[in-house]
Amino acid sequence: MNARENTSRALDRWKVMDAKTKGKYARLLWLLIGPGVLVMLGENDAPSMLSYSASGSQYGIGVFLPFVVLTFLMAFVVQEITVRLGAVSKAGHAELIYKRFGRFWGNFAMIDLIFTNFLTLITEFVGVVAGASYFHISKFIAIPVAIVIILLAYSFRRYWSWERITMALALFNLVFIPIAVLAHPDWSAVGKSFLTFQPFPAGGLNNNNLVIFLSDIGATITPWMLFFQQGAVTDKGLSKHDIRHGQLDTLLGAILATLAAVACIIATSPLFIHHMNSASFGAAQFAQALQPYIGRTGSTLFALGIMEAGLVAATAISTSSAYAYGEVQRKNHSLNSSFKEAKSFYLTLFAIVMVAGGIVLIPHFPLEWVVLIVNVIAVLTMPPALGFLLLLVNDKEIMGEYRNKAWANTLAISIGVFICIAGILYALTAIFPNFTL
Amino acid sequence: MTTTSIATNDTSSVTIRTQREMEKHPELVEALLTEQKEAMQRLENMGRMPLGWGLKTLIWGLRLYVVFMLVAVAFTVVNNLR
């Protein structure tokens, strides 16, 4: 750690201690929230919002509403572990995997991360372009502007400033709530779906329906979230004494993200009611098709919401890749460092953003294809990531008294098994198209 | 004085609002980052986790699962392209 990074982190610790001493609990919460809210709202990214839109427009109000709540509960269980790991070990996720399992397994984890992160980052820019196209803005303007906004957030050379700017942007994700209200949904049907998990999609668990289910899981639980939140908790400098606030931060993020996701499904449900064929819709088409039901204001907000989702997630995902790269290379990897002090960290970050943005500008690149499979791939690469996470959080040498209790292990293992089974069902329906449950 | 402040959780004896003010108190920076330095030191001295055959089988199983699933995704994509 360099002197600047040290003083930045010490100043943050001092402010936390000051708030604790003076009993200023609201300020304490304000100082300690961040990584959890960011990771959860960041995961409500462009492909996730498109996945929720597909759920709402193809199946209406039904099983997907409570299912999304369930997936965010799972996300909370998994992400809470990264708070403890980061606060106790003060090390990033990649660093711990390399340290405890060696380069062989570390490289596998990194390949999964870089591969899924890069595909996801491309789809974030696709989201930005799709949202911008609603306003007739060319992708050759939208992408450079998005890149400039992302890079500007890093120019403060302070984790705290970056976190607050990105969090302010991320809160715009809640715009889907007023859009849902504008759709005038049948609230009794909404309530009934939460209580009964019904109606279930026609055709049972066939390939088409499973892709949507899997896509909704991938919209809430992905490997990059583990690397990002643990890295952010470490960069923020959370201590063991802040774990409770870190958990609260993650819970708050999960609640806000669930509200936005549920709202997105409700907002697009008029397309199902009016039998619109939305199977191949992109973000702009969703916004345009919804205009008769939610008005010009609603559809404009919808397009803006997709753009924002892409922008925030692009920031968080590129940071997660750069954190992991810096940890593995054992180079300075803190947003509290200047460009000169953490050159490889910032260059990795910029390069990832530029290349992903550049790919979206390539004519005839199969972007729709990438958007469709990115969430599915994220879910399928999750079990090994969960395996390492569980091994690390049960590592007595790292975690000591903060390691997982038996009930927490049971919950996390159940989530892992659930994701594995969902993946296996998907594979069965892919290989045997007539297979249904 | 400041190190004592940390030990007793007393922040009233010093007023620090900016990074520049913090830079004037190197001993305070040192004290505030004690937990961090101890954790890093502990990690530095840590070796590899011993992996028994059960754990190795689990990790390999999960890795093969990913490979198999990616083949399934490729299969779906090729089918859809046709």
Side-chain angles (χ1 to χ4, degrees):
Chain A
M1 278 196 296
N2 56 58
R4 186 191 153 77
E5 194 185 335
N6 275 345
T7 48
S8 300
R9 202 160 287 149
L11 180 64
D12 291 342
R13 296 307 315 152
W14 179 257
K15 286 176 180 170
V16 167
M17 220 174 91
D18 190 48
K20 273 184 188 166
T21 314
K22 292 174 179 160
K24 294 178 177 173
Y25 297 110
R27 177 164 167 75
L28 188 62
L29 183 66
W30 166 246
L31 290 170
L32 292 174
I33 62 166
V37 171
L38 266 184
V39 80
M40 291 293 186
L41 288 178
E43 182 47 9
N44 267 1
D45 57 355
S48 299
M49 298 325 276
L50 287 176
S51 175
Y52 299 137
S53 302
S55 309
S57 60
Q58 291 179 40
Y59 302 99
I61 289 165
V63 68
F64 285 102
L65 288 181
F67 183 71
V68 162
V69 177
L70 191 73
T71 58
F72 272 105
L73 275 174
M74 294 195 289
F76 171 73
V77 172
V78 172
Q79 293 304 127
E80 184 276 333
I81 294 175
T82 65
V83 175
R84 271 183 291 139
L85 268 173
V88 174
S89 71
K90 309 280 188 284
H93 201 59
E95 191 178 351
L96 284 187
I97 292 176
Y98 272 80
K99 186 86 198 168
R100 295 301 274 159
F101 302 102
R103 190 152 283 276
F104 180 75
W105 291 112
N107 287 343
F108 272 124
M110 277 300 282
I111 290 168
D112 286 351
L113 179 79
I114 300 295
F115 177 60
T116 54
N117 271 15
F118 193 68
L119 283 183
T120 315
L121 199 54
I122 293 172
T123 64
E124 306 310 345
F125 284 111
V126 173
V128 171
V129 169
S133 71
Y134 178 81
F135 303 101
H136 309 292
I137 299 170
S138 153
K139 64 179 179 181
F140 293 99
I141 295 173
I143 294 285
V145 169
I147 291 176
V148 168
I149 293 172
I150 293 167
L151 299 187
L152 269 180
Y154 293 110
S155 64
F156 291 87
R157 298 182 303 156
R158 187 86 166 83
Y159 172 84
W160 170 260
S161 312
W162 172 83
E163 183 192 85
R164 298 294 124 165
I165 291 168
T166 317
M167 209 154 66
L169 260 176
L171 285 174
F172 192 74
N173 196 234
L174 298 176
V175 76
F176 287 95
I177 297 173
I179 302 174
V181 175
L182 286 171
H184 304 294
D186 177 356
W187 292 110
S188 64
V190 172
K192 201 175 156 194
S193 72
F194 277 111
L195 293 174
T196 62
F197 277 65
Q198 293 292 336
F200 201 83
L205 287 178
N206 59 25
N207 185 266
N208 286 344
N209 296 341
L210 262 173
V211 166
I212 301 277
F213 272 109
L214 222 59
S215 194
D216 281 352
I217 301 173
T220 46
I221 306 172
T222 57
W224 78 261
M225 295 169 77
L226 308 178
F227 290 82
F228 172 79
Q229 193 169 2
Q230 193 172 329
V233 162
T234 311
D235 211 2
K236 194 175 171 71
L238 288 199
S239 102
K240 291 173 189 170
H241 309 289
D242 305 324
I243 287 176
R244 191 52 60 85
H245 281 88
Q247 291 166 332
L248 204 61
D249 170 39
T250 312
L251 181 66
L252 181 67
I255 292 170
L256 293 176
T258 308
L259 285 173
V262 165
C264 185
I265 295 176
I266 295 173
T268 50
S269 63
L271 299 179
F272 169 76
I273 297 165
H274 293 91
H275 309 291
M276 297 274 288
N277 182 10
S278 59
S280 57
F281 271 16
Q285 287 117 312
F286 272 117
Q288 278 150 5
L290 280 169
Q291 200 167 314
Y293 315 111
I294 59 175
R296 175 95 184 141
T297 313
S299 53
T300 303
L301 288 176
F302 190 94
L304 282 174
I306 297 288
M307 273 173 80
E308 173 276 339
L311 208 57
V312 170
T315 312
I317 291 167
S318 48
T319 310
S320 110
S321 307
Y323 272 144
Y325 181 77
E327 288 163 20
V328 172
Q329 295 296 318
R330 301 187 72 80
K331 296 258 174 71
N332 193 335
H333 52 273
S334 171
L335 290 171
N336 282 320
S337 301
S338 66
F339 179 77
K340 209 175 159 188
E341 290 159 342
K343 213 178 271 179
S344 66
F345 170 69
Y346 284 110
L347 282 177
T348 309
L349 222 156
F350 298 162
I352 294 168
V353 172
M354 298 285 208
V355 175
I359 284 176
V360 179
L361 295 178
I362 298 172
H364 311 301
F365 193 83
L367 297 172
E368 293 81 10
W369 179 81
V370 180
V371 172
L372 276 176
I373 62 158
V374 74
N375 277 351
V376 174
I377 290 180
V379 183
L380 300 178
T381 51
M382 196 61 196
L386 262 180
F388 283 126
L389 184 76
L390 271 174
L391 289 173
L392 287 172
V393 80
N394 282 292
D395 187 341
K396 203 175 172 182
E397 223 176 312
I398 297 176
M399 297 301 288
E401 60 180 297
Y402 294 94
R403 66 186 186 278
N404 250 14
K405 302 276 185 292
W407 63 266
N409 278 334
T410 311
L411 261 179
I413 290 169
S414 309
I415 292 168
V417 170
F418 174 76
I419 292 173
C420 281
I421 292 173
I424 289 167
L425 284 176
Y426 167 79
L428 284 173
T429 59
I431 296 162
F432 309 105
N434 295 326
F435 177 88
T436 49
L437 273 181
Chain B
M1 171 198 66
T2 46
T3 312
T4 317
S5 307
I6 298 293
T8 56
N9 268 358
D10 177 19
T11 52
S12 57
S13 55
V14 197
T15 308
I16 297 169
R17 288 199 184 87
T18 64
Q19 202 160 330
R20 199 155 287 176
E21 285 168 354
M22 181 57 84
E23 280 166 11
K24 290 175 190 162
H25 300 275
E27 75 291 357
L28 183 59
V29 173
E30 192 74 22
L32 283 163
L33 298 180
T34 308
E35 186 184 317
Q36 176 126 11
K37 281 177 182 154
E38 282 173 0
M40 285 168 80
Q41 191 62 50
R42 203 154 44 92
L43 198 67
E44 203 61 46
N45 297 331
M46 227 176 260
R48 291 235 190 122
M49 184 191 280
L51 295 176
W53 70 268
L55 273 184
K56 273 187 185 159
T57 310
L58 174 75
I59 300 177
W60 269 112
L62 291 172
R63 181 52 44 198
L64 291 173
Y65 168 89
V66 171
V67 173
F68 176 68
M69 290 302 157
L70 290 180
V71 170
V73 171
F75 194 82
T76 311
V77 171
V78 171
N79 270 353
N80 286 343
L81 286 178
R82 277 180 188 167

